[in-house]
Amino acid sequence: MLERIHPHHPKWSKVASVAAALLALGAVSAGAEEAAPVFDSGDTAWVLCSAALVLMMTLPGLALFYGGLVRAKNVLNVFMQCFISAGLVGVVWIAFGYSFAFGDGNAFFGDFSKVMLAGVTMDSAVENGAGRNIPELAFLMFQGMFAIITPALILGAVAERMKFSAWIAFIVVWLVAVYCPLAHMVWGGEGWILQSGAIDFAGGLVVHMSSGFSALVCAVWLGKRRGFGKEPMPPHSLVLCLVGAGLLWMGWFGFNAGSALGATPLAAMAFVNTSTCASAAVLAWAVIEYLHHGKPTALGAATAAVAGLVAITPACGNVAPGGAMLLGFGVAVISYVACGILKPALGYDDSLDVFGVHGLGGAWGAIGSGIFAVSLGSGIETNAQQVMVQLKGVAFAAVFAPAVTAIILLALTAVFGTLRAAEEDEVEGLDLSQHSESAYGFAGGSVVVPELGGAGFHSAPTAKPVHTTAS
């Protein structure tokens, strides 16, 4: 049986007063000092490395993955959205985001006790569930990297049409109103989802469902890209996309195995499950594409890998490798149908399939955490009971995140007038109109527009392959 812990918010141990040391002569020191905490250097090193790996998922992993999927005239805008997410969220997290997510608070929200890291010192410690301490500074930075990538995921749904100024305002408000409360409810010590016994080892609800369901609302709110469904919108560089997907796969080991908060057997199990699920998803997607269209595609493989990594995120510390494999097979079917069949049928323009991959993939992973769990949540005795608890968490995230996102968009629209770039700016490309720069000189070159299916999931379909200018 795997160790039963909720790693993202272990019991805090500020390692308070311990008995003052006896002097050599046996007298008790009049000015007794608190004993300094003992930190495990191996666990600390792993958490610090994992934090760096998670940042790599955003920069450059997600930037390359998303950047390769948009048209050449918008690639720098995608990179800038990722960079500003890292910069802005990195500051907000230290200023008050960490306190709102991991302050004591109540069942739904943190508090102001750790604003500007009040009370957090080099001696502040977090117990990692294995009975060993890591610095709170390492923990808060690891969590900060999660906070950076989560709103950045949403940009895939609004790519090529959202004003940069509106994006900046959106991610700050969304982080405070959606991410921090959900992180507290799932990982905070008094959070009600945590207290219910729900499993979310590394962020199926907090990261993927929150961003995926919010992304769908954003895509519908902004409307379709100009020319969507009428003119070709192929990925301008599948090479960049595949490089980004590879970096995401690598960084995900820090994302998932790092969530054990130590170099432990639990981290090793999460590591094995992470890669196993992604591998299974790639294999299953390739088979589905072959049966459906006669050819597996590179973009399909990249999309499948990310979907597999999403699905295993909540479950990686509580399932065996066999369960991870089944999660990978399942998410390949779910995300393939969502991206290749459901989206065209409903007609919404989720540019880079954030909802189909992260929203539904995260929901499947959260439910699968109960179905395939070999280690159950606190107070849970059977897998059937665990599934019911998981469904409550999934239902809440599926309503809370999009509802609050809609309110945010309504408020920002009242402030900005419109969140969408002007028609001439969108036609010119957001690289030039928003940043006065171009990734490739004047965005020249040629690409091939794929048939519907595979790579076509991320573009407006055309009847047959054609050559066009990547602009």
Side-chain angles (χ1 to χ4, degrees):
M1 299 289 285
L2 301 181
E3 189 175 1
R4 181 183 298 174
I5 67 170
H6 294 279
H8 276 259
H9 199 291
K11 293 180 180 177
W12 294 101
S13 57
K14 285 263 181 163
V15 192
S17 299
V18 184
L22 294 177
L23 298 177
L25 296 177
V28 177
S29 171
E33 298 180 355
E34 292 183 354
V38 177
F39 297 114
D40 187 279
S41 59
D43 290 345
T44 301
W46 172 237
V47 173
L48 291 173
C49 289
S50 295
L53 285 169
V54 178
L55 177 61
M56 187 187 74
M57 292 172 66
T58 305
L59 300 172
L62 187 68
L64 286 166
F65 181 68
Y66 279 173
L69 293 175
V70 299
R71 289 168 288 178
K73 63 183 180 181
N74 296 312
V75 60
L76 281 184
N77 180 248
V78 168
F79 270 74
M80 269 300 294
Q81 286 173 307
C82 288
F83 266 85
I84 204 66
S85 295
L88 192 54
V89 174
V91 170
V92 170
W93 186 251
I94 297 300
F96 49 82
Y98 176 65
S99 187
F100 291 171
F102 290 98
D104 292 334
N106 51 43
F108 302 97
F109 199 71
D111 56 26
F112 292 87
S113 62
K114 297 180 184 293
V115 168
M116 291 302 296
L117 303 189
V120 179
T121 70
M122 290 179 64
D123 289 334
S124 301
V126 170
E127 193 272 315
N128 68 0
R132 301 192 293 269
N133 294 321
I134 62 171
E136 186 177 355
L137 289 168
F139 174 78
L140 74 88
M141 284 308 296
F142 178 68
Q143 291 297 335
M145 301 310 162
F146 279 66
I148 284 170
I149 195 171
T150 305
L153 293 172
I154 299 173
L155 76 87
V158 301
E160 304 192 294
R161 61 195 186 278
M162 190 173 193
K163 289 194 297 189
F164 190 66
S165 57
W167 171 254
I168 291 174
F170 173 78
I171 59 175
V172 174
V173 180
W174 190 89
L175 185 82
V176 173
V178 178
Y179 182 84
C180 289
L182 199 53
H184 185 80
M185 285 183 265
V186 174
W187 294 326
E190 300 301 321
W192 75 269
I193 297 179
L194 173 64
Q195 293 300 321
S196 72
I199 297 170
D200 191 358
F201 192 84
L205 302 179
V206 180
V207 176
H208 299 296
M209 281 197 67
S210 70
S211 61
F213 279 79
S214 296
L216 179 61
V217 174
C218 290
V220 174
W221 186 279
L222 286 181
K224 302 175 184 178
R225 288 167 288 177
R226 301 188 190 282
F228 180 76
K230 300 176 183 178
E231 61 185 60
M233 297 181 179
H236 90 280
S237 176
L238 291 181
V239 172
L240 290 184
C241 171
L242 289 167
V243 171
L247 289 171
L248 284 169
W249 194 330
M250 180 180 176
W252 227 290
F253 293 123
F255 197 89
N256 286 355
S259 292
L261 300 183
T264 64
L266 182 63
M269 178 59 76
F271 198 107
V272 170
N273 285 336
T274 297
S275 201
T276 299
C277 188
S279 298
V282 170
L283 178 61
W285 193 293
V287 171
I288 295 170
E289 277 193 316
Y290 179 79
L291 294 175
H292 192 195
H293 293 291
K295 297 177 182 178
T297 65
L299 180 53
T303 304
V306 174
L309 294 164
V310 167
I312 195 58
T313 293
C316 58
N318 296 79
V319 302
M325 196 176 297
L326 293 173
L327 279 169
F329 292 151
V331 78
V333 176
I334 292 169
S335 292
Y336 187 93
V337 170
C339 299
I341 299 175
L342 180 64
K343 185 175 77 168
L346 296 180
Y348 61 89
D349 185 14
D350 177 3
S351 310
L352 309 181
D353 294 319
V354 184
F355 175 68
V357 173
H358 294 274
L360 296 182
W364 161 242
I367 296 170
S369 300
I371 297 173
F372 304 114
V374 296
S375 174
L376 302 174
S378 178
I380 309 297
E381 296 182 356
T382 68
N383 283 74
Q385 292 175 338
Q386 187 69 63
V387 169
M388 295 307 297
V389 171
Q390 297 300 114
L391 285 171
K392 291 178 182 178
V394 167
F396 179 82
V399 173
F400 173 76
V404 178
T405 298
I407 295 172
I408 293 171
L409 293 172
L410 180 63
L412 291 179
T413 300
V415 173
F416 286 88
T418 178
L419 306 181
R420 184 162 179 160
E423 181 176 1
E424 58 271 23
D425 291 343
E426 192 173 331
V427 171
E428 180 184 35
L430 300 188
D431 290 0
L432 289 173
S433 67
Q434 305 295 302
H435 311 294
S436 297
E437 296 174 301
S438 176
Y440 307 108
F442 289 99
S446 63
V447 294
V448 176
V449 181
E451 294 181 357
L452 177 61
F457 289 169
H458 300 284
S459 63
T462 57
K464 61 182 179 180
V466 298
H467 291 275
T468 185
T469 300
S471 60

Short mmCIF file of all heavy atoms in Angstrom, two decimals, residues 84-136:
data_model
loop_
_atom_site.label_atom_id
_atom_site.label_comp_id
_atom_site.label_asym_id
_atom_site.label_seq_id
_atom_site.Cartn_x
_atom_site.Cartn_y
_atom_site.Cartn_z
N ILE A 84 5.12 36.89 -18.99
CA ILE A 84 4.47 37.82 -18.07
C ILE A 84 3.75 37.05 -16.96
O ILE A 84 3.63 37.55 -15.83
CB ILE A 84 3.50 38.77 -18.81
CG1 ILE A 84 3.30 40.07 -17.99
CG2 ILE A 84 2.16 38.11 -19.08
CD1 ILE A 84 4.52 40.92 -17.87
N SER A 85 3.28 35.86 -17.26
CA SER A 85 2.68 35.02 -16.21
C SER A 85 3.73 34.69 -15.16
O SER A 85 3.46 34.76 -13.95
CB SER A 85 2.11 33.74 -16.81
OG SER A 85 1.03 34.01 -17.69
N ALA A 86 4.93 34.32 -15.61
CA ALA A 86 6.00 34.01 -14.67
C ALA A 86 6.40 35.24 -13.86
O ALA A 86 6.60 35.16 -12.64
CB ALA A 86 7.22 33.46 -15.42
N GLY A 87 6.49 36.38 -14.53
CA GLY A 87 6.89 37.59 -13.83
C GLY A 87 5.83 38.10 -12.88
O GLY A 87 6.10 38.37 -11.70
N LEU A 88 4.63 38.23 -13.37
CA LEU A 88 3.56 38.82 -12.57
C LEU A 88 3.12 37.90 -11.44
O LEU A 88 3.01 38.31 -10.28
CB LEU A 88 2.38 39.15 -13.48
CG LEU A 88 1.26 40.02 -12.91
CD1 LEU A 88 1.82 41.32 -12.35
CD2 LEU A 88 0.23 40.31 -13.99
N VAL A 89 2.85 36.64 -11.76
CA VAL A 89 2.42 35.70 -10.73
C VAL A 89 3.54 35.47 -9.72
O VAL A 89 3.29 35.31 -8.52
CB VAL A 89 1.97 34.37 -11.35
CG1 VAL A 89 1.65 33.34 -10.26
CG2 VAL A 89 0.74 34.58 -12.23
N GLY A 90 4.79 35.48 -10.19
CA GLY A 90 5.91 35.32 -9.27
C GLY A 90 5.94 36.39 -8.20
O GLY A 90 6.28 36.12 -7.04
N VAL A 91 5.57 37.62 -8.55
CA VAL A 91 5.51 38.71 -7.58
C VAL A 91 4.27 38.61 -6.71
O VAL A 91 4.32 38.74 -5.48
CB VAL A 91 5.57 40.07 -8.31
CG1 VAL A 91 5.28 41.22 -7.34
CG2 VAL A 91 6.92 40.27 -8.98
N VAL A 92 3.13 38.37 -7.35
CA VAL A 92 1.86 38.29 -6.62
C VAL A 92 1.90 37.15 -5.60
O VAL A 92 1.38 37.27 -4.49
CB VAL A 92 0.68 38.11 -7.59
CG1 VAL A 92 -0.61 37.79 -6.85
CG2 VAL A 92 0.49 39.37 -8.43
N TRP A 93 2.53 36.05 -5.97
CA TRP A 93 2.60 34.89 -5.08
C TRP A 93 3.33 35.24 -3.79
O TRP A 93 2.88 34.89 -2.70
CB TRP A 93 3.29 33.74 -5.77
CG TRP A 93 3.29 32.46 -4.99
CD1 TRP A 93 4.35 31.85 -4.38
CD2 TRP A 93 2.16 31.61 -4.75
NE1 TRP A 93 3.96 30.69 -3.76
CE2 TRP A 93 2.62 30.52 -3.97
CE3 TRP A 93 0.81 31.67 -5.10
CZ2 TRP A 93 1.77 29.50 -3.55
CZ3 TRP A 93 -0.04 30.65 -4.68
CH2 TRP A 93 0.44 29.58 -3.92
N ILE A 94 4.44 35.94 -3.90
CA ILE A 94 5.19 36.33 -2.71
C ILE A 94 4.42 37.39 -1.91
O ILE A 94 4.37 37.35 -0.68
CB ILE A 94 6.57 36.89 -3.10
CG1 ILE A 94 7.40 35.80 -3.80
CG2 ILE A 94 7.31 37.41 -1.87
CD1 ILE A 94 7.68 34.57 -2.97
N ALA A 95 3.81 38.33 -2.61
CA ALA A 95 3.12 39.43 -1.93
C ALA A 95 1.93 38.95 -1.11
O ALA A 95 1.79 39.29 0.07
CB ALA A 95 2.68 40.48 -2.95
N PHE A 96 1.04 38.15 -1.72
CA PHE A 96 -0.14 37.71 -0.98
C PHE A 96 -0.73 36.38 -1.45
O PHE A 96 -1.52 35.78 -0.74
CB PHE A 96 -1.24 38.78 -1.02
CG PHE A 96 -1.55 39.33 -2.39
CD1 PHE A 96 -2.41 38.66 -3.26
CD2 PHE A 96 -0.99 40.53 -2.81
CE1 PHE A 96 -2.70 39.16 -4.51
CE2 PHE A 96 -1.28 41.05 -4.06
CZ PHE A 96 -2.13 40.36 -4.92
N GLY A 97 -0.36 35.91 -2.65
CA GLY A 97 -0.94 34.67 -3.16
C GLY A 97 -0.67 33.47 -2.27
O GLY A 97 -1.57 32.66 -1.99
N TYR A 98 0.57 33.33 -1.81
CA TYR A 98 0.92 32.20 -0.94
C TYR A 98 0.10 32.23 0.35
O TYR A 98 -0.39 31.19 0.81
CB TYR A 98 2.41 32.25 -0.63
CG TYR A 98 2.88 31.19 0.34
CD1 TYR A 98 2.83 29.84 0.01
CD2 TYR A 98 3.38 31.54 1.60
CE1 TYR A 98 3.26 28.86 0.89
CE2 TYR A 98 3.82 30.57 2.49
CZ TYR A 98 3.75 29.23 2.14
OH TYR A 98 4.18 28.27 3.02
N SER A 99 -0.09 33.41 0.91
CA SER A 99 -0.87 33.53 2.13
C SER A 99 -2.34 33.16 1.90
O SER A 99 -2.95 32.46 2.71
CB SER A 99 -0.78 34.96 2.66
OG SER A 99 -1.39 35.08 3.93
N PHE A 100 -2.89 33.60 0.77
CA PHE A 100 -4.29 33.30 0.46
C PHE A 100 -4.50 31.79 0.22
O PHE A 100 -5.56 31.26 0.52
CB PHE A 100 -4.75 34.07 -0.77
CG PHE A 100 -4.86 35.56 -0.55
CD1 PHE A 100 -5.09 36.41 -1.62
CD2 PHE A 100 -4.75 36.11 0.72
CE1 PHE A 100 -5.21 37.78 -1.43
CE2 PHE A 100 -4.85 37.48 0.93
CZ PHE A 100 -5.08 38.32 -0.16
N ALA A 101 -3.49 31.13 -0.32
CA ALA A 101 -3.62 29.70 -0.62
C ALA A 101 -3.25 28.82 0.56
O ALA A 101 -3.91 27.80 0.82
CB ALA A 101 -2.76 29.34 -1.83
N PHE A 102 -2.21 29.20 1.32
CA PHE A 102 -1.69 28.31 2.35
C PHE A 102 -1.67 28.92 3.75
O PHE A 102 -1.14 28.31 4.68
CB PHE A 102 -0.29 27.82 1.96
CG PHE A 102 -0.31 26.88 0.79
CD1 PHE A 102 -0.05 27.33 -0.49
CD2 PHE A 102 -0.61 25.54 0.97
CE1 PHE A 102 -0.08 26.47 -1.58
CE2 PHE A 102 -0.65 24.66 -0.10
CZ PHE A 102 -0.39 25.12 -1.38
N GLY A 103 -2.24 30.11 3.91
CA GLY A 103 -2.45 30.61 5.26
C GLY A 103 -3.52 29.77 5.95
O GLY A 103 -4.27 29.03 5.30
N ASP A 104 -3.59 29.85 7.27
CA ASP A 104 -4.51 28.98 8.02
C ASP A 104 -5.95 29.15 7.57
O ASP A 104 -6.61 28.19 7.18
CB ASP A 104 -4.37 29.26 9.52
CG ASP A 104 -3.02 28.82 10.05
OD1 ASP A 104 -2.43 27.91 9.45
OD2 ASP A 104 -2.56 29.40 11.05
N GLY A 105 -6.47 30.35 7.62
CA GLY A 105 -7.79 30.64 7.08
C GLY A 105 -8.89 29.73 7.58
O GLY A 105 -8.91 29.31 8.74
N ASN A 106 -9.81 29.43 6.66
CA ASN A 106 -10.96 28.58 6.99
C ASN A 106 -11.08 27.47 5.96
O ASN A 106 -10.10 27.12 5.30
CB ASN A 106 -12.24 29.42 7.07
CG ASN A 106 -12.43 30.27 5.82
OD1 ASN A 106 -12.21 29.81 4.69
ND2 ASN A 106 -12.84 31.52 6.00
N ALA A 107 -12.26 26.92 5.78
CA ALA A 107 -12.45 25.79 4.86
C ALA A 107 -12.39 26.20 3.39
O ALA A 107 -12.26 25.34 2.52
CB ALA A 107 -13.78 25.10 5.14
N PHE A 108 -12.45 27.51 3.12
CA PHE A 108 -12.55 27.95 1.73
C PHE A 108 -11.43 28.89 1.28
O PHE A 108 -11.17 29.01 0.09
CB PHE A 108 -13.90 28.66 1.51
CG PHE A 108 -15.08 27.81 1.84
CD1 PHE A 108 -15.72 27.92 3.07
CD2 PHE A 108 -15.55 26.87 0.93
CE1 PHE A 108 -16.80 27.13 3.37
CE2 PHE A 108 -16.63 26.07 1.23
CZ PHE A 108 -17.27 26.20 2.45
N PHE A 109 -10.77 29.54 2.20
CA PHE A 109 -9.79 30.55 1.81
C PHE A 109 -8.75 30.68 2.91
O PHE A 109 -9.03 30.41 4.09
CB PHE A 109 -10.49 31.90 1.60
CG PHE A 109 -9.70 32.89 0.77
CD1 PHE A 109 -9.53 32.68 -0.59
CD2 PHE A 109 -9.14 34.01 1.36
CE1 PHE A 109 -8.81 33.59 -1.35
CE2 PHE A 109 -8.42 34.93 0.60
CZ PHE A 109 -8.26 34.72 -0.77
N GLY A 110 -7.53 31.08 2.50
CA GLY A 110 -6.48 31.31 3.47
C GLY A 110 -6.71 32.60 4.23
O GLY A 110 -7.84 33.03 4.43
N ASP A 111 -5.64 33.25 4.65
CA ASP A 111 -5.77 34.50 5.38
C ASP A 111 -4.61 35.42 5.03
O ASP A 111 -3.89 35.18 4.07
CB ASP A 111 -5.86 34.24 6.89
CG ASP A 111 -4.68 33.44 7.41
OD1 ASP A 111 -3.58 33.50 6.79
OD2 ASP A 111 -4.83 32.74 8.44
N PHE A 112 -4.43 36.46 5.82
CA PHE A 112 -3.39 37.45 5.56
C PHE A 112 -2.14 37.22 6.42
O PHE A 112 -1.25 38.06 6.45
CB PHE A 112 -3.94 38.86 5.82
CG PHE A 112 -4.98 39.29 4.84
CD1 PHE A 112 -6.32 38.98 5.04
CD2 PHE A 112 -4.64 40.01 3.70
CE1 PHE A 112 -7.29 39.38 4.14
CE2 PHE A 112 -5.60 40.41 2.79
CZ PHE A 112 -6.93 40.09 3.00
N SER A 113 -2.07 36.08 7.08
CA SER A 113 -1.00 35.86 8.06
C SER A 113 0.38 35.76 7.42
O SER A 113 1.39 36.00 8.09
CB SER A 113 -1.28 34.58 8.86
OG SER A 113 -1.31 33.45 8.00
N LYS A 114 0.45 35.42 6.13
CA LYS A 114 1.75 35.26 5.48
C LYS A 114 1.96 36.27 4.34
O LYS A 114 2.77 36.03 3.45
CB LYS A 114 1.90 33.83 4.96
CG LYS A 114 1.90 32.77 6.05
CD LYS A 114 2.05 31.36 5.48
CE LYS A 114 1.95 30.33 6.59
NZ LYS A 114 3.09 30.40 7.53
N VAL A 115 1.21 37.36 4.38
CA VAL A 115 1.38 38.40 3.37
C VAL A 115 2.82 38.91 3.41
O VAL A 115 3.38 39.16 4.49
CB VAL A 115 0.38 39.55 3.61
CG1 VAL A 115 0.74 40.77 2.76
CG2 VAL A 115 -1.04 39.09 3.31
N MET A 116 3.43 39.04 2.25
CA MET A 116 4.84 39.41 2.12
C MET A 116 5.73 38.47 2.94
O MET A 116 6.76 38.84 3.47
CB MET A 116 5.07 40.86 2.52
CG MET A 116 4.46 41.87 1.56
SD MET A 116 5.07 41.72 -0.15
CE MET A 116 6.81 42.11 0.06
N LEU A 117 5.28 37.21 3.02
CA LEU A 117 5.99 36.14 3.73
C LEU A 117 6.24 36.48 5.19
O LEU A 117 7.28 36.12 5.76
CB LEU A 117 7.30 35.81 3.01
CG LEU A 117 7.18 35.41 1.54
CD1 LEU A 117 8.52 34.91 1.02
CD2 LEU A 117 6.10 34.37 1.32
N ALA A 118 5.29 37.13 5.82
CA ALA A 118 5.40 37.45 7.24
C ALA A 118 5.56 36.16 8.04
O ALA A 118 4.81 35.20 7.87
CB ALA A 118 4.15 38.20 7.71
N GLY A 119 6.55 36.13 8.89
CA GLY A 119 6.79 34.97 9.73
C GLY A 119 7.54 33.84 9.07
O GLY A 119 7.87 32.84 9.72
N VAL A 120 7.79 33.96 7.78
CA VAL A 120 8.54 32.91 7.08
C VAL A 120 10.02 33.29 7.11
O VAL A 120 10.42 34.31 6.55
CB VAL A 120 8.06 32.76 5.62
CG1 VAL A 120 8.89 31.68 4.90
CG2 VAL A 120 6.59 32.41 5.58
N THR A 121 10.82 32.46 7.76
CA THR A 121 12.25 32.72 7.89
C THR A 121 13.04 31.54 7.39
O THR A 121 12.48 30.51 6.97
CB THR A 121 12.61 32.97 9.37
OG1 THR A 121 12.49 31.74 10.10
CG2 THR A 121 11.69 34.03 9.99
N MET A 122 14.35 31.66 7.46
CA MET A 122 15.21 30.55 7.04
C MET A 122 15.05 29.34 7.95
O MET A 122 15.42 28.22 7.58
CB MET A 122 16.67 31.00 7.00
CG MET A 122 16.98 31.99 5.88
SD MET A 122 18.70 32.53 5.86
CE MET A 122 19.54 30.98 5.51
N ASP A 123 14.51 29.56 9.15
CA ASP A 123 14.30 28.45 10.09
C ASP A 123 12.88 27.89 10.04
O ASP A 123 12.59 26.93 10.75
CB ASP A 123 14.61 28.91 11.52
CG ASP A 123 16.10 29.13 11.75
OD1 ASP A 123 16.90 28.50 11.04
OD2 ASP A 123 16.45 29.94 12.62
N SER A 124 12.01 28.48 9.25
CA SER A 124 10.65 27.95 9.13
C SER A 124 10.69 26.62 8.40
O SER A 124 11.34 26.49 7.36
CB SER A 124 9.76 28.93 8.36
OG SER A 124 9.70 30.17 9.01
N ALA A 125 9.99 25.65 8.92
CA ALA A 125 10.06 24.30 8.37
C ALA A 125 8.69 23.74 8.05
O ALA A 125 7.68 24.12 8.63
CB ALA A 125 10.77 23.36 9.36
N VAL A 126 8.68 22.82 7.10
CA VAL A 126 7.47 22.07 6.73
C VAL A 126 7.81 20.60 6.85
O VAL A 126 8.84 20.13 6.36
CB VAL A 126 7.05 22.40 5.28
CG1 VAL A 126 5.96 21.45 4.81
CG2 VAL A 126 6.58 23.83 5.17
N GLU A 127 6.93 19.85 7.51
CA GLU A 127 7.13 18.41 7.63
C GLU A 127 6.55 17.75 6.40
O GLU A 127 5.43 18.03 6.00
CB GLU A 127 6.44 17.90 8.91
CG GLU A 127 6.83 16.47 9.30
CD GLU A 127 5.95 15.45 8.62
OE1 GLU A 127 4.72 15.64 8.62
OE2 GLU A 127 6.49 14.48 8.08
N ASN A 128 7.31 16.89 5.74
CA ASN A 128 6.95 16.43 4.40
C ASN A 128 6.13 15.15 4.36
O ASN A 128 5.96 14.56 3.29
CB ASN A 128 8.21 16.26 3.54
CG ASN A 128 9.11 15.14 4.01
OD1 ASN A 128 8.83 14.45 4.99
ND2 ASN A 128 10.23 14.96 3.31
N GLY A 129 5.63 14.68 5.46
CA GLY A 129 4.82 13.47 5.45
C GLY A 129 5.62 12.22 5.66
O GLY A 129 5.07 11.16 5.92
N ALA A 130 6.94 12.32 5.56
CA ALA A 130 7.82 11.18 5.83
C ALA A 130 8.56 11.39 7.15
O ALA A 130 9.54 10.70 7.43
CB ALA A 130 8.82 11.00 4.69
N GLY A 131 8.10 12.37 7.92
CA GLY A 131 8.71 12.63 9.21
C GLY A 131 9.97 13.46 9.15
O GLY A 131 10.72 13.54 10.13
N ARG A 132 10.23 14.10 7.99
CA ARG A 132 11.43 14.91 7.85
C ARG A 132 11.04 16.33 7.45
O ARG A 132 9.96 16.57 6.91
CB ARG A 132 12.36 14.30 6.79
CG ARG A 132 12.79 12.87 7.13
CD ARG A 132 13.93 12.40 6.22
NE ARG A 132 13.52 12.26 4.84
CZ ARG A 132 13.05 11.12 4.32
NH1 ARG A 132 12.87 10.06 5.08
NH2 ARG A 132 12.74 11.05 3.04
N ASN A 133 11.93 17.26 7.69
CA ASN A 133 11.66 18.67 7.46
C ASN A 133 12.33 19.18 6.19
O ASN A 133 13.46 18.78 5.87
CB ASN A 133 12.16 19.52 8.64
CG ASN A 133 11.40 19.23 9.92
OD1 ASN A 133 10.20 19.02 9.90
ND2 ASN A 133 12.12 19.21 11.03
N ILE A 134 11.64 20.08 5.51
CA ILE A 134 12.24 20.87 4.44
C ILE A 134 11.97 22.34 4.77
O ILE A 134 11.03 22.65 5.50
CB ILE A 134 11.66 20.52 3.06
CG1 ILE A 134 10.15 20.82 2.99
CG2 ILE A 134 11.95 19.07 2.68
CD1 ILE A 134 9.56 20.70 1.61
N PRO A 135 12.77 23.26 4.26
CA PRO A 135 12.51 24.68 4.53
C PRO A 135 11.18 25.12 3.93
O PRO A 135 10.82 24.73 2.82
CB PRO A 135 13.69 25.40 3.85
CG PRO A 135 14.75 24.36 3.69
CD PRO A 135 14.02 23.07 3.49
N GLU A 136 10.45 25.95 4.67
CA GLU A 136 9.21 26.49 4.13
C GLU A 136 9.48 27.32 2.88
O GLU A 136 8.65 27.40 1.98
CB GLU A 136 8.49 27.33 5.17
CG GLU A 136 7.12 27.80 4.71
CD GLU A 136 6.35 28.57 5.76
OE1 GLU A 136 6.83 28.68 6.91
OE2 GLU A 136 5.25 29.05 5.43
#
